[in-house]
Amino acid sequence: MVLTELSMLELAAKLTSGEVSSLEATRACLTRIAQVDGQVKAFLRLDEKGALAAAEASDARRKAGNPASALDGVPIGLKDIFLTEGGETTCGSRILQGFVPPYDATVVRLLREAGLPIVGKLNMDEFAMGSSTEGSAFGPTHNPWDLERTPGGSSGGSAAAVAACEVFGALGTDTGGSIRQPAALTNTVGLKPTYGRVSRYGVIAYASSLDQVGPMARTVADTAALLQLLARHDPLDSTSAKLEAPDYREDLEGGVRGLRLGVPREYFTGGMDPEVEQAVREALKAYEHMGATLVDVSLPHTKYALATYYLLATAEASSNLARYDGIRFGLRAKDAKGLRELYGLTRERGFGPEVKRRIMLGTYALSAGYYDAYYLRAQKVRTLIRQDFASAFEQVDALVSPTSPVPAFKLGEKVADPLSMYLMDVFTLPCNLAGLPGLSLPCGFTKSNLPIGLQILGKPFDEARLLRIARAFEREHGFVRRFPTL
Amino acid sequence: MALTLEQVRHVASLARLSLSPDEERRYATQLSAVLDAVAQLQELDVSGVEPTSHATLASSLLREDVTLPSLPPEKGLANAPSKVGTRFAVPKIIE
């Protein structure tokens, strides 16, 4: 048994039986990180002391027969977008280097209360803007399945760390696919919950009407168990839904017999890698074989989603990122003369090229004379995209599609061409525009051993059913228990 | 739609970004390409369509009006690049 290859729930069972301690599991993660992270570069920084102290406290609770949660003692990693009290948080940006938050994000507090040792902070595209983690100011993360390739993004560090067995699970955020696309590229499971399902308090904002926090893990059951800890109303987040979370693990093995799964025809037209398409088609057949009915559905406005997303996300980003002005926290250009120059130089030096590009696009879309043509029009098209999903869900229980049109691409391949990078999110971002839950799970490998992901989209707050559909495939096919060699 | 360098400078100024001449040229090209790509939204008829500003209709915007502790000044100022007493220090803004 390789300890770090256990699933979160397998480890939890061993913690309960006393076969393994949280201290041992946490030390095993730290050893694994020391062995492989020089190649993978998933971590921006470790909190060895904090993690070991949390593990020790967890062991004491377990010994007293009083675990704080089902995952008490299971080590986890956090995308560096979550505020951690007393621990540097940079969001992958130079402008926040040295920033030490005065409080924990709500999800961080929930994980601490549930007893999970937080091993460290994981790499990401700067301010979550990107699909390859190459946008990080601190250098790219490498895909554990092929170190010359990207793990996807923006939660690429989270996905790579989970895939490389450096941690048992991680949290990411998903604005246009930033949990699901890296999950697909690394043979892991990633869930973007319904907008409002998980608190965003203390999560650094990119595009506030789209951002959502979600779990990343190596199995569907782990993903469900992690979501269970996070899904609750938070009075500190005004967009948090006032809804009780169901028991996500209760019906997990319920199968797909009798379910109607929609296959959106617009997600299968051109540009897709043939091996990805083949694997997804085979997964669809497998679902049919397991008793689901496949239904051909149409989401006619799909081709407008990318343009809509990039106008709305960048407009919101240009507004959210106005707070990085060099006054209250983060970098300040010390040599600036006057306030205006202080803003300009601080932001010029602190932000990387993709962040500046998106701020520029968003500022343009919101500027006088262009607001109606770009921003307002995109908001209206967003309505049409939502309506597409609403009518599809009158016919089906969930939608199934590829997660990413291509497997992991080479580092450096798309950096110089923003438009081709933006296309990486073409299947994932409509779900964010509509606020729906979406999940990616492993569904196969290319001939060159690169993971392929399957995406399942659901009705609002229907995460339990998505997990059940995902679990049915995982149980039959088990691609998830393959590990990269490092 | 091709953005002129002058337009790029105007947008950069609105966004409070001091771009280098090289960046201005690069963003003029790249933003023009992105704007060309998003121009496809113009082909849709959106008359009579209501805009969606949020994915879910937020119904819980207001919290109970109760006093809660807020961040103490020393914590709020802990990350300040420059401070004077309990205040953030900024360069002189009035000539």
Side-chain angles (χ1 to χ4, degrees):
Chain A
M1 173 194 83
V2 181
L3 187 55
T4 50
E5 289 183 0
L6 293 177
S7 76
M8 299 183 89
L9 288 166
E10 284 165 354
L11 174 62
K14 289 189 191 296
L15 294 173
T16 304
S17 71
E19 194 183 325
V20 174
S21 71
S22 174
L23 209 50
E24 286 171 274
T26 306
R27 285 205 180 108
C29 286
L30 293 167
T31 305
R32 175 77 179 161
I33 292 165
Q35 283 165 352
V36 302
D37 208 55
Q39 299 166 274
V40 178
K41 295 184 167 53
F43 278 90
L44 289 178
R45 71 202 74 85
L46 296 173
D47 180 16
E48 216 162 301
K49 228 174 100 191
L52 292 171
E56 227 169 315
S58 166
D59 285 334
R61 277 192 301 274
R62 290 272 185 190
K63 206 165 239 173
N66 191 25
S69 74
L71 298 177
D72 193 348
V74 178
I76 192 169
L78 294 176
K79 186 177 183 177
D80 202 30
I81 199 166
F82 298 100
L83 299 194
T84 43
E85 184 174 357
E88 188 188 14
T89 300
T90 64
C91 215
S93 181
R94 212 170 291 292
I95 211 163
L96 275 176
Q97 213 166 356
F99 173 67
V100 180
Y103 60 92
D104 275 336
T106 294
V107 289
V108 175
R109 176 176 63 78
L110 291 172
L111 291 181
R112 291 197 208 277
E113 285 172 4
L116 287 79
I118 296 166
V119 176
K121 303 296 281 293
L122 294 156
N123 201 14
M124 56 183 286
D125 284 296
E126 183 177 9
F127 286 106
M129 297 178 189
S131 310
S132 69
T133 316
E134 292 165 282
S136 167
F138 308 106
T141 294
H142 298 252
N143 191 321
W145 292 93
D146 177 347
L147 294 167
E148 284 179 19
R149 290 173 192 269
T150 155
S154 66
S155 310
S158 300
V162 172
C165 300
E166 295 177 81
V167 279
F168 294 87
L171 292 195
T173 58
D174 189 315
T175 305
S178 282
I179 286 174
R180 289 160 287 153
Q181 183 256 17
L185 271 41
T186 57
N187 196 47
T188 53
V189 184
L191 171 67
K192 178 231 167 255
T194 311
Y195 186 83
R197 182 71 282 186
V198 177
S199 167
R200 300 178 308 142
Y201 177 74
V203 185
I204 295 172
Y206 159 22
S208 305
S209 83
L210 306 163
D211 299 342
Q212 182 61 199
V213 175
M216 306 178 76
R218 291 193 292 262
T219 72
V220 175
D222 284 1
T223 308
L226 256 179
L227 179 65
Q228 201 74 57
L229 303 179
L230 307 174
R232 61 202 59 207
H233 173 67
D234 180 11
L236 296 174
D237 175 359
S238 65
T239 63
S240 162
K242 281 188 175 162
L243 274 180
E244 285 289 311
D247 183 342
Y248 293 111
R249 289 170 59 200
E250 196 183 1
D251 199 24
L252 203 55
E253 304 295 335
V256 294
R257 189 157 299 282
L259 288 186
R260 293 168 66 82
L261 301 181
V263 184
R265 71 180 81 116
E266 290 81 5
Y267 284 53
F268 289 87
T269 49
M272 203 192 311
D273 180 278
E275 286 186 275
V276 170
E277 175 156 10
Q278 195 194 340
V280 172
R281 296 257 183 222
E282 276 166 25
L284 291 173
K285 267 188 236 154
Y287 273 119
E288 228 172 358
H289 190 70
M290 290 184 274
T293 311
L294 300 182
V295 183
D296 173 47
V297 295
S298 174
L299 301 166
H301 296 93
T302 298
K303 73 166 181 163
Y304 301 104
L306 189 71
T308 304
Y309 174 83
Y310 277 96
L311 285 171
L312 296 181
T314 57
E316 293 183 23
S318 74
S319 167
N320 272 326
L321 270 58
R323 63 174 62 108
Y324 303 99
D325 56 7
I327 304 295
R328 289 148 299 147
F329 48 78
L331 182 83
R332 173 182 288 192
K334 297 253 186 276
D335 51 335
K337 292 173 214 66
L339 198 59
R340 183 84 185 213
E341 196 175 294
L342 176 83
Y343 293 151
L345 288 180
T346 297
R347 291 159 65 78
E348 164 66 10
R349 290 171 194 168
F351 291 139
E354 184 58 34
V355 171
K356 286 184 202 164
R357 189 150 49 228
R358 294 199 194 191
I359 290 175
M360 291 285 288
L361 181 61
T363 303
Y364 180 81
L366 289 174
S367 66
Y370 298 101
Y371 177 89
D372 283 358
Y374 289 106
Y375 182 73
L376 186 64
R377 177 167 282 263
Q379 296 281 46
K380 291 180 178 177
V381 180
R382 183 178 185 176
T383 305
L384 299 175
I385 290 164
R386 287 189 66 188
Q387 288 169 351
D388 281 357
F389 280 110
S391 2
F393 284 125
E394 282 171 15
Q395 307 165 58
V396 298
D397 299 295
L399 298 167
V400 186
S401 81
T403 307
S404 163
V406 293
F409 46 96
K410 290 228 162 112
L411 290 163
E413 195 180 314
K414 296 179 193 291
V415 172
D417 181 1
L419 271 175
S420 91
M421 186 75 93
Y422 296 171
L423 277 167
M424 291 305 100
D425 301 331
V426 68
F427 297 144
T428 49
L429 52 82
C431 148
N432 298 73
L433 290 168
L436 305 171
L439 180 150
S440 178
L441 80 153
C443 80
F445 284 86
T446 64
K447 286 188 196 78
S448 44
N449 204 36
L450 295 174
I452 299 171
L454 183 73
Q455 177 174 247
I456 306 168
L457 303 176
K459 300 175 192 178
F461 301 103
D462 207 17
E463 288 85 0
R465 191 174 348 218
L466 293 193
L467 289 160
R468 184 174 124 199
I469 295 169
R471 174 61 191 145
F473 185 82
E474 179 187 77
R475 193 174 47 213
E476 296 285 317
H477 297 274
F479 292 110
V480 277
R481 302 327 295 264
R482 259 168 81 170
F483 299 100
T485 40
L486 281 166
Chain B
M1 187 182 148
L3 278 186
T4 64
L5 280 177
E6 200 179 325
Q7 283 173 305
V8 170
R9 282 184 206 121
H10 173 63
V11 175
S13 147
L14 291 174
R16 302 290 186 266
L17 284 168
S18 310
L19 300 182
S20 67
D22 182 48
E23 280 177 312
E24 286 173 357
R25 277 192 298 276
R26 197 163 59 237
Y27 287 142
T29 314
Q30 290 176 340
L31 292 176
S32 300
V34 175
L35 288 174
D36 280 342
V38 302
Q40 65 166 179
L41 295 189
Q42 309 303 329
E43 62 191 51
L44 277 171
D45 179 10
V46 291
S47 50
V49 179
E50 287 294 314
T52 296
S53 59
H54 248 249
T56 46
L57 301 171
S59 56
S60 56
L61 285 174
L62 301 176
R63 65 163 171 81
E64 294 290 312
D65 187 17
V66 288
T67 315
L68 294 169
S70 53
L71 216 54
E74 62 278 10
K75 274 194 158 188
L77 284 157
N79 283 288
S82 173
K83 62 190 164 193
V84 178
T86 53
R87 284 158 293 173
F88 295 101
V90 295
K92 190 175 166 187
I93 54 169
I94 300 166
E95 299 298 323

